[in-house]
C-alpha cells in the first residue's frame, strides 16, 4: 500500500500547499511503512517534477494534460494512479481547487474523505484533528478502515525541503470529455487603494452590525492615520468594495499594525493577515479565535472601546 | 427547469459554552440556516423569478426541530421542502458518503436539472457534500461559485469560481449540474411577512430511510468524533483589562509605541 499526494499549481507556479501536503504524506507513509508518490497534473509538469523532488518522495508521476487546473483531468489521473499504485491514502490540498475534485475522487474510489485537517495521527487507523464551530473547538475524528482521502489545511505542516531521489515517470491518462470547461481567468479587487501597501490597517468585521456604523471605524482609521480594510461579510454585503477585503480570497496583508475590530478570526481571514507585525483584536467574545494570533487583545464592545480610542488620538 | 437546493440548519456556539462529551452542550448552541445555503436559496429563487426555474425544492437532513429553519427558506420563495430524518442518523456524525446516499435518493425522486448548495456548512466546515453528490449522480459540477448565469436553452451554466488571492476562474458547466455557492453571489433577501404567512401553508415532506429505499447499513458513518476540546491557546497576547476608557488608554499607549499616529 502506498501514499499518494497531488501537487497544486496555478498560472505556471506550484502553490506552497503542495510541499506541505508532501510533508503530511510522508508522515503517513512513515507511519504505514509505505512509499510516497506525488502526482503533478497539467502545466510544465517536468519543471514542476524537479521542484517537487524533495526529501522523502519516492516517486513522481507527471501527467501532461492542459495548462491549468481541470477537475475532470485531476480526477481521472488520480483515480488511475491510485489504482495503479494501490494508494491507501490520498493526501490533497484543502484549497478551492482541492474542494473541486477531492470529494468526487473519494466518492469514485469508494473511500471516506476527511477535509481541512490541521493535524493527524496514524496508529491502527487514521485519527484526524480538525476544527469545528468556526474554529472555537478542535475535534479528533477516527476514520474506519485503512483507505481514505484527506485534505490538509495550508500552513499547518512545514513544507518539504531538500532534494530527493524520486523516480520521475510520465503517465498517460485517458481524460473523458468534460462537461465543465474553463474559459478564462479574471482578476478582481483592483481599484484606487491597495491595502497591501498600508503600514497600519484598521479592519472591520461583522461585529459592526449595520452599514451606517462603518463610519465609526472610518473615523478610527482617520484618527490613526490608518487605511480601512474588512473581513469578507462586509464586502459580501456591499458595505465596502472588494479591494478592501483581507483574507484567502481577498488580499494578503503584512502591515506593521493590524487592528481587527469585530472580526472572529476565521481561518480564511487569518490566512490574509497572520503575517502582520503587530495584531490587535477588539472583540466581545473572549473565545474568538482572533485572540489566538493577537499580540494585544481587548475583550469588549467595539461601540464602547472605539469612540474612546478615537478620543485618545483626537 | 427544476432546482433542488440542499440546505442545512447549522449550530453556532455562544460566547460562553461548555463541552459535554464530544459536542458543545445543546443549551449553548444557537441554530440558524447555514449562511452559504442562504445564498444558494436566493440564487434559486432568482432563477424562478426570472422565469428560468419552474420549481424550487429544498432538501435538508435534520430532525423535526429544523422545520423552523426550513420554513425560512420557504418564506424566501422556495416552493416546497423535503426533510430527511431517521432514528438511525441520531447521535452519529454523518460522513459525506452517507449524506450523499440520502441526497441521491431524493434526486432520484425529484429529478432536478440543477442542484445548488452552500460551499460548506458553517459548523462542521467539510465543504464536500455537493461535489461528492455530483460524482454519485453523474452530474457536472463546480465548487465555490460566486457568479452564476444560467442559459437554460443552451443547457449551460456560466459560472465564476472564486479562487484564492482575488482570482476568479470562468467556467461553462453543462446541465444537469451541482454548484456549490459562495457568499457574495447575490444579496439574500429577508423573508417578507407575506412570505412567512405563505410558508406556513407550503409542504414539508418528511422522509425516513425506508421512504427512500435505504437501510441503516447504507448510512453507517465511517467517521467517529472521539474528542472535542478548546484548543490550547498558543497566544502570548497581552489582554488589556479595564473599562472601555482604561483599555483604550493602554491601547493608545501601545499604538504610539509602534509609531501609529495620524
Ligand atoms: C472559500 C472561502 C473563502 C473565504 N475567504 C475569506 C476572505 O478572504 N476573507 C474573510 O474575511 N473571510 C473569508 N471567508 C469567510 C470566513 O469563513 C468567515 O465567514 C468570515 O471571515 C467571518 O467574518 P467576521 O469575522 O467579520 O464575522 P463573524 O465570524 O460573524 O465574527 C463577528 C465577530 O464580531 C464579534 N462581535 C460582535 N459584536 C461585537 C461588538 N459589539 N464589539 C466587538 N466585537 C463584536 C463577535 O464576537 C464575532 O467574533 C471565506 C470562506 C470560504 C469558505
Amino acid at each position: 500500500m502506498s501514499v499518494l499526494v497531488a501537487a497544486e499549481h496555478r498560472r505556471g507556479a506550484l502553490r506552497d500547499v503542495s510541499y506541505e501536503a508532501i510533508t503530511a504524506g510522508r508522515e503517513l507513509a512513515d507511519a504505514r511503512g509505505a512509499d510516497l508518490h506525488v502526482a503533478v497534473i497539467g502545466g510544465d509538469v517536468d519543471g514542476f517534477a524537479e521542484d517537487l523532488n524533495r526529501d522523502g518522495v519516492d516517486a513522481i508521476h507527471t501527467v501532461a494534460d492542459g495548462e491549468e487546473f481541470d477537475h475532470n483531468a485531476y480526477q481521472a489521473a488520480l483515480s488511475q494512479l491510485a489504482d495503479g499504485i494501490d494508494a491507501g491514502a490520498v493526501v490533497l490540498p484543502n484549497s478551492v481547487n482541492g474542494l473541486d475534485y477531492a470529494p468526487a475522487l473519494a466518492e469514485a474510489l469508494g473511500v471516506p474523505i476527511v477535509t481541512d485537517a490541521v493535524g493527524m495521527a496514524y496508529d491502527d487507523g487514521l485519527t484526524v484533528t480538525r476544527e469545528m464551530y468556526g474554529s472555537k473547538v478542535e475535534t479528533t475524528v477516527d476514520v474506519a478502515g485503512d483507505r481514505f482521502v484527506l485534505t490538509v489545511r495550508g500552513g499547518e505542516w512545514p513544507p518539504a525541503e531538500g532534494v530527493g531521489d524520486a523516480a520521475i515517470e510520465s503517465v498517460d491518462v485517458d481524460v473523458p470529455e468534460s462537461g465543465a470547461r474553463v474559459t478564462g481567468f479574471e482578476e478582481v479587487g483592483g481599484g484606487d487603494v491597495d491595502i497591501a501597501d498600508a503600514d497600519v490597517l484598521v479592519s472591520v468585521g461583522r461585529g459592526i452590525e449595520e452599514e451606517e456604523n462603518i463610519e465609526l471605524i472610518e473615523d478610527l482609521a482617520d484618527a490613526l492615520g490608518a487605511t480601512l480594510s474588512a473581513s469578507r461579510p462586509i464586502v459580501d454585503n456591499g458595505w465596502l468594495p472588494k479591494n478592501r477585503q483581507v483574507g484567502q480570497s481577498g488580499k494578503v496583508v503584512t502591515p506593521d499594525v493590524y487592528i481587527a475590530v469585530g472580526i472572529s478570526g476565521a481561518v480564511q481571514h487569518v490566512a490574509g493577515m497572520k503575517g502582520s507585525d503587530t495584531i490587535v483584536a477588539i472583540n466581545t467574545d473572549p473565545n474568538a479565535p482572533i485572540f489566538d494570533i493577537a499580540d494585544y487583545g481587548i475583550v469588549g464592545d467595539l461601540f464602547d472601546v472605539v469612540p474612546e480610542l478615537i478620543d485618545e488620538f483626537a | 427547469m427544476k432546482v433542488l437546493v440542499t440546505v442545512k440548519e447549522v449550530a453556532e456556539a455562544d460566547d460562553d459554552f461548555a463541552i459535554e462529551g464530544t459536542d458543545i452542550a445543546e443549551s449553548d448552541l444557537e441554530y440558524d440556516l447555514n449562511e452559504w445555503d442562504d445564498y444558494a436559496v436566493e440564487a434559486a429563487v432568482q432563477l424562478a423569478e426570472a422565469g428560468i426555474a419552474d420549481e424550487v425544492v429544498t432538501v435538508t437532513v435534520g430532525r423535526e426541530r429544523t422545520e423552523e429553519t426550513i420554513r425560512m427558506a420557504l418564506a424566501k420563495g422556495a416552493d416546497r421542502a423535503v426533510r430527511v430524518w431517521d432514528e438511525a442518523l441520531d447521535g452519529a456524525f454523518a460522513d459525506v458518503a452517507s449524506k450523499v446516499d440520502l441526497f441521491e435518493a431524493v434526486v432520484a425522486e425529484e429529478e432536478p436539472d440543477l442542484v445548488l448548495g452552500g460551499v460548506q456548512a458553517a459548523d462542521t466546515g467539510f465543504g464536500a457534500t455537493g461535489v461528492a453528490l455530483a460524482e454519485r449522480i453523474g452530474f457536472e459540477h463546480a465548487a465555490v461559485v460566486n457568479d452564476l448565469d444560467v442559459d437554460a436553452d443552451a443547457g449551460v451554466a456560466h459560472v465564476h469560481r472564486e479562487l484564492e488571492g482575488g482570482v476568479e476562474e470562468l467556467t461553462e458547466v453543462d446541465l444537469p449540474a451541482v454548484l456549490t455557492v459562495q457568499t457574495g453571489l447575490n444579496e439574500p433577501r429577508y423573508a417578507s411577512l407575506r412570505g412567512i404567512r405563505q410558508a406556513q401553508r407550503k409542504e414539508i415532506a418528511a422522509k425516513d430511510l425506508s421512504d427512500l429505499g435505504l437501510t441503516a447499513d447504507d448510512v453507517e458513518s465511517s467517521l467517529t468524533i472521539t474528542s472535542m476540546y478548546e484548543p490550547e491557546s498558543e497566544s502570548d497576547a497581552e489582554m488589556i483589562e479595564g473599562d472601555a476608557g482604561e483599555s483604550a488608554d493602554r491601547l493608545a499607549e501601545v499604538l504610539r509605541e509602534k509609531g501609529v499616529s495620524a
Side-chain angles (χ1 to χ4, degrees):
Chain A
M1 211 186 273
S2 53
V3 175
L4 177 62
V5 170
E8 178 162 320
H9 58 87
R10 187 185 306 152
R11 297 167 140 192
L14 284 166
R15 304 190 72 235
D16 293 345
V17 65
S18 306
Y19 302 111
E20 298 162 14
I22 289 176
T23 303
R26 187 65 251 173
E27 209 176 300
L28 271 176
D30 285 342
R32 304 176 74 161
D35 280 351
L36 175 62
H37 296 246
V38 175
V40 58
I41 303 152
D44 171 20
V45 287
D46 296 328
F48 291 152
E50 242 171 79
D51 291 337
L52 291 165
N53 191 358
R54 305 262 163 130
D55 266 343
V57 178
D58 296 301
I60 299 178
H61 307 271
T62 62
V63 181
D65 183 282
E67 282 305 308
E68 293 291 342
F69 173 75
D70 163 8
H71 64 229
N72 204 35
Y74 272 57
Q75 190 184 326
L78 293 170
S79 301
Q80 180 181 321
L81 282 169
D83 280 345
I85 61 169
D86 187 26
V90 182
V91 180
L92 307 171
N94 194 74
S95 56
V96 171
N97 282 343
L99 291 178
D100 198 40
Y101 73 93
L105 179 66
E107 176 62 32
L109 295 174
V111 301
I113 180 169
V114 181
T115 60
D116 204 19
V118 299
M120 65 178 167
Y122 195 92
D123 202 350
D124 282 336
L126 177 69
T127 301
V128 183
T129 306
R130 63 190 307 283
E131 296 178 342
M132 263 179 72
Y133 298 115
S135 303
K136 283 191 179 179
V137 299
E138 269 181 19
T139 60
T140 51
V141 182
D142 277 5
V143 183
D146 58 0
R147 288 173 181 271
F148 49 82
V149 171
L150 182 71
T151 72
V152 294
R153 178 180 289 182
E156 296 293 329
W157 277 267
E161 290 178 351
V163 178
D165 51 6
I168 300 179
E169 176 194 53
S170 128
V171 186
D172 283 329
V173 174
D174 266 334
V175 179
E177 189 163 343
S178 179
R181 297 164 296 275
V182 180
T183 57
F185 292 91
E186 203 171 286
E187 308 262 353
V188 293
D192 52 336
V193 271
D194 189 348
I195 54 173
D197 289 340
D199 295 327
V200 183
L201 282 172
V202 173
S203 213
V204 55
R206 183 142 52 190
I208 199 69
E209 286 168 11
E210 305 280 342
E211 182 169 15
E212 54 264 30
N213 299 337
I214 299 268
E215 215 179 296
L216 177 66
I217 310 301
E218 272 168 353
D219 290 347
L220 176 61
D222 284 347
L224 299 180
T227 303
L228 185 65
S229 57
S231 68
R232 175 174 193 119
I234 303 301
V235 174
D236 283 343
N237 289 346
W239 297 351
L240 286 174
K242 177 84 188 169
N243 60 12
R244 302 280 175 162
Q245 183 179 318
V246 173
Q248 172 186 305
S249 45
K251 283 265 161 57
V252 174
V253 298
T254 52
D256 299 336
V257 179
Y258 186 89
I259 307 175
V261 186
I263 292 177
S264 63
V267 51
Q268 298 92 351
H269 184 80
V270 169
M273 45 67 75
K274 61 174 182 242
S276 307
D277 275 349
T278 299
I279 297 170
V280 178
I282 303 172
N283 196 306
T284 41
D285 178 1
N287 291 312
I290 191 76
F291 288 123
D292 290 339
I293 57 153
D295 300 291
Y296 298 90
I298 296 179
V299 176
D301 190 325
L302 72 92
F303 296 104
D304 298 331
V305 176
V306 170
E308 297 280 351
L309 192 57
I310 293 172
D311 280 350
E312 293 278 345
F313 284 85
Chain B
M1 186 171 104
K2 185 167 175 179
V3 184
L4 184 69
V5 189
T6 59
V7 297
K8 186 182 175 196
E9 180 182 84
V10 294
E12 191 182 341
D14 292 339
D15 285 1
D16 287 312
F17 63 86
I19 294 170
E20 281 175 6
T22 58
D23 207 346
I24 290 179
E26 178 110 22
S27 55
D28 297 337
L29 293 172
E30 305 290 333
Y31 296 92
D32 203 351
L33 175 62
N34 181 37
E35 186 184 354
W36 281 266
D37 299 346
D38 199 17
Y39 287 85
V41 169
E42 179 64 33
V45 171
Q46 287 187 11
L47 287 171
E49 287 171 346
I52 296 170
D54 315 311
E55 194 180 22
V56 174
V57 182
T58 68
V59 54
T60 198
V61 177
R63 63 198 72 217
E64 199 169 345
R65 191 204 54 226
T66 62
E67 293 205 354
E68 211 181 306
T69 298
I70 299 169
R71 291 248 180 247
M72 288 314 293
L74 293 174
K76 291 176 182 207
D79 296 301
R80 59 188 173 81
V82 177
R83 180 178 66 81
V84 179
W85 192 248
D86 198 282
E87 268 178 15
L89 298 166
D90 222 355
F93 182 66
D95 61 6
V96 175
S98 27
K99 285 186 225 169
V100 168
D101 285 328
L102 302 172
F103 288 138
E104 178 190 26
V106 173
V107 165
E109 282 187 5
E110 297 288 344
E111 301 184 338
D113 304 284
L114 179 63
V115 179
L116 299 175
V119 165
Q120 62 171 17
D123 48 6
T124 50
F126 251 71
T129 307
V131 171
L133 175 65
E135 172 67 19
R136 176 81 66 86
I137 62 180
F139 280 26
E140 296 295 336
H141 74 263
V144 194
V145 166
N146 73 342
D147 194 72
L148 170 64
D149 180 14
V150 175
D151 184 342
D153 295 332
V156 178
H158 299 271
V159 307
H160 288 202
R161 293 183 55 238
E162 186 192 68
L163 306 180
E164 292 86 357
V167 178
E168 296 181 0
E169 178 201 279
L170 282 51
T171 303
E172 301 173 353
V173 189
D174 291 343
L175 300 179
V178 180
L179 306 177
T180 76
V181 167
Q182 174 64 312
T183 59
L185 172 67
N186 48 43
E187 280 178 53
R189 68 195 66 196
Y190 292 98
S192 65
L193 278 174
R194 187 158 157 268
I196 292 169
R197 266 201 311 275
Q198 284 173 342
Q200 296 307 322
R201 292 194 300 273
K202 289 180 179 170
E203 178 196 343
I204 301 181
K207 309 233 179 216
D208 63 14
L209 289 179
S210 67
D211 293 330
L212 298 174
L214 295 168
T215 66
D217 285 346
D218 291 323
V219 294
E220 194 174 308
S221 180
S222 55
L223 305 181
T224 315
I225 296 187
T226 47
S227 68
M228 180 178 287
Y229 48 90
E230 289 187 60
E232 278 296 304
S233 175
E234 288 154 24
S235 148
D236 45 8
E238 175 186 332
M239 297 307 284
I240 298 173
E241 310 285 338
D243 65 22
E246 289 157 3
S247 50
D249 192 51
R250 168 70 188 133
L251 181 54
E253 188 183 10
V254 169
L255 292 175
R256 286 203 179 90
E257 271 169 33
K258 307 277 173 198
V260 176
S261 69

